[in-house]
Amino acid sequence: MMSEKYDLIIIGGGPAGIAAAIYGSRSRLKTLVLEAKRKTGGQPATYHDMENYPGVPETTASELMDNFKTHAEKFKAEFKRGQVAKIETDGFKKLVKTKKEEVYEAKSVIIATGAEPRKLGIKGEEEFKGKGVSYCATCDADLFTDLDIVVVGNGNSAVEEAIYLTKFVNKLTMIVIHDEGVMDAEKILQEQAMENEKIDFVWNSTLEEIKGEGLVEKAVVKNIKTGQKSEIDCNGVFFFVGRVPSTDFLEGVVDLTEHGYIKTTKQMETNQPGIYAVGDVRDKVVRQVITAAGDGATAAVMAQGYIEEEDYWQNNVLQADKEVIVAFWSVTDQASIDLVAKLENMDLEAKGYKFLKIDTYKNRLISDRYQIEEIPTVMKLKGSKVAEKVVAPTEKELKNIF
């Protein structure tokens, strides 16, 4: 199958991916966002409230994500539906293949696949999925209007979603593993939950089992201190107990942590040149919309630099029809300036060479690839092979190179 070609392909349409699309397409990179789900927006698209995005004091999470997408489309970023099954790399060329066997070619790839809701695997959880068990308040809240539900979890997401659910349900019981009054959520969210008349708490407890005849009817709760079990009558159970990174398709492509998150540098670089990871899918401490957007912006800027650097090297060195002399230098280093002046006065073009200057500060990737540790360094290449490499060459060493 013929592949469609792009400068930049972003896998995942959450805040990190769309922010990368804004920066990439605005830099005139032909940019594609591949999103596996019907609606773009990632994890925030499943939430309702959005109170902590700077400069936007009043909005919903889905409205904010819609604005992200509109912004990217303004700069001609493309959005397509597709679940990626594989990424293959061949130097500068990356092939992104979907489960429907669509193939897209890119010079750079940004992975923004985020994370999926964590499942506890308790008895009844899988059986009642879609029959009272849910992982998304925004998706399913209206199905539980005037009914009683249980929420499992006590972090920011759990408390935020519980507060949202109280707009629909009759009563909500939060099962919290900690001692009374102790929760993992931010203080302001804890206060809002404690003050909400529809929310009750069961402390020092875990959910043991979900029961029902066709639909959820009861939640079995166990006190972790006494071991005593009790049943709560309910019509639904919502789980908000963390997330698992969506990296199954990346095994052997990029380095992962033991928990499946992608290892990156602070520049969002993976161990594969030209492949970056952003947002909740990468190994990081803070996972918020604002930090995800920052990751996306950083990765897109880095990808642009990578593409420009690689394009230049491919066109002027690897595809050159003659031997190439490359001077690795810096405008802040006097020895570099002196050497470049000498080389420019040697009329190398007339001698059958192509002459290039590579600023090691601006072209870090090329410099690292050829292990340039000191400047000035002169290198002679025949195609992709290094024929000569000399650090701070003397007059005699320069003559020997030619």
Side-chain angles (χ1 to χ4, degrees):
M1 179 184 291
M2 290 290 291
S3 59
E4 293 187 58
K5 294 184 178 181
Y6 293 86
D7 295 315
L8 176 63
I9 290 178
I10 300 160
I11 305 171
I18 303 178
I22 292 170
Y23 274 74
S25 56
R26 188 174 181 274
S27 298
R28 301 297 186 264
L29 298 179
K30 186 180 180 184
T31 301
L32 170 67
V33 178
L34 282 173
E35 171 56 55
K37 294 179 177 154
R38 181 179 57 82
K39 181 174 175 59
T40 56
Q43 185 177 339
T46 67
Y47 295 164
H48 184 267
D49 294 334
M50 177 60 62
E51 295 183 336
N52 59 355
Y53 197 82
V56 190
E58 293 186 17
T59 188
T60 64
S62 59
E63 284 173 350
L64 183 63
M65 290 302 96
D66 287 343
N67 288 338
F68 267 46
K69 184 180 179 185
T70 300
H71 198 164
E73 289 174 331
K74 173 186 174 183
F75 295 115
K76 310 302 181 187
E78 296 180 39
F79 286 79
K80 292 186 179 182
R81 183 108 179 259
Q83 185 169 359
V84 175
K86 185 187 296 185
I87 300 175
E88 295 178 357
T89 60
D90 181 14
F92 195 24
K93 182 170 72 173
K94 286 88 178 165
L95 293 179
V96 177
K97 300 181 178 180
T98 71
K99 288 191 173 181
K100 291 186 177 180
E101 299 185 350
E102 299 148 325
V103 181
Y104 302 94
E105 182 180 326
K107 297 174 180 178
S108 185
V109 172
I110 296 176
I111 302 165
T113 45
E116 294 296 318
R118 184 184 300 279
K119 296 181 180 179
L120 295 182
I122 66 170
K123 188 174 181 180
E125 180 179 359
E126 190 62 31
E127 177 187 349
F128 291 105
K129 183 179 178 182
K131 300 174 184 178
V133 167
S134 176
Y135 304 87
C136 175
T138 306
C139 309
D140 298 332
D142 63 330
L143 300 176
F144 297 89
T145 300
D146 297 329
L147 299 178
D148 297 340
I149 65 169
V150 163
V151 166
V152 183
N154 68 102
N156 284 346
S157 296
V159 178
E160 285 176 340
E161 298 306 277
I163 292 169
Y164 172 69
L165 284 163
T166 59
K167 298 176 182 179
F168 298 84
V169 303
N170 174 56
K171 188 179 81 171
L172 183 153
T173 303
M174 292 196 74
I175 300 173
V176 184
I177 196 170
H178 304 306
D179 290 338
E180 184 171 349
V182 178
M183 301 175 74
D184 295 328
E186 297 171 352
K187 288 295 182 184
I188 188 171
L189 294 174
Q190 293 186 41
E191 291 167 2
Q192 290 173 8
M194 299 285 192
E195 294 168 1
N196 193 308
E197 294 180 353
K198 286 189 175 183
I199 299 179
D200 291 336
F201 297 88
V202 177
W203 305 99
N204 295 310
S205 299
T206 58
L207 182 64
E208 283 281 298
E209 184 181 350
I210 302 169
K211 293 181 176 181
E213 294 292 333
L215 298 173
V216 170
E217 295 176 358
K218 294 180 184 293
V220 180
V221 177
K222 179 181 178 180
N223 186 293
I224 61 173
K225 290 190 173 181
T226 66
Q228 184 178 353
K229 294 183 181 181
S230 59
E231 292 185 349
I232 299 174
D233 291 333
C234 63
N235 307 104
V237 178
F238 282 75
F239 289 88
F240 304 109
V241 289
R243 305 180 78 81
V244 178
S246 302
T247 54
D248 291 347
F249 68 101
L250 294 171
E251 194 71 40
V253 179
V254 295
D255 287 344
L256 306 175
T257 69
E258 61 178 326
H259 298 297
Y261 290 96
I262 301 174
K263 296 179 181 179
T264 69
T265 66
K266 62 183 179 181
Q267 288 86 16
M268 310 300 141
E269 300 160 316
T270 69
N271 61 305
Q272 287 286 351
I275 298 182
Y276 304 84
V278 295
D280 286 5
V281 77
R282 80 179 187 96
D283 187 25
K284 58 187 290 188
V285 177
V286 180
R287 292 184 167 87
Q288 295 287 310
V289 174
I290 183 77
T291 60
D295 285 359
T298 299
V301 172
M302 297 304 297
Q304 180 191 4
Y306 166 80
I307 291 170
E308 290 175 353
E309 197 170 336
E310 286 291 347
D311 268 337
Y312 182 80
W313 193 256
Q314 292 275 334
N315 295 332
N316 291 283
V317 177
L318 302 185
Q319 297 174 16
D321 56 1
K322 59 180 73 173
E323 290 183 321
V324 182
I325 303 297
V326 182
F328 290 90
W329 74 312
S330 171
V331 293
T332 62
D333 178 67
Q334 189 58 49
S336 293
I337 295 170
D338 294 342
L339 177 63
V340 166
K342 278 184 187 178
L343 291 169
E344 288 176 333
N345 289 329
M346 291 176 71
D347 199 11
L348 296 176
E349 298 287 339
K351 295 178 180 179
Y353 297 102
K354 186 170 186 175
F355 176 56
L356 296 177
K357 297 178 292 184
I358 296 293
D359 187 322
T360 55
Y361 177 77
K362 294 179 180 178
N363 298 274
R364 181 174 56 86
L365 293 170
I366 298 298
S367 301
D368 289 347
R369 182 180 307 162
Y370 289 95
Q371 299 177 325
I372 305 301
E373 298 176 353
E374 298 180 59
I375 55 172
T377 292
V378 175
M379 196 164 67
K380 180 166 73 172
L381 292 103
K382 295 180 179 180
S384 60
K385 294 183 179 179
V386 179
E388 300 270 358
K389 181 180 175 184
V390 185
V391 178
T394 62
E395 292 282 353
K396 183 177 180 181
E397 287 173 326
L398 276 180
K399 289 179 180 179
N400 288 337
I401 290 175
F402 305 123

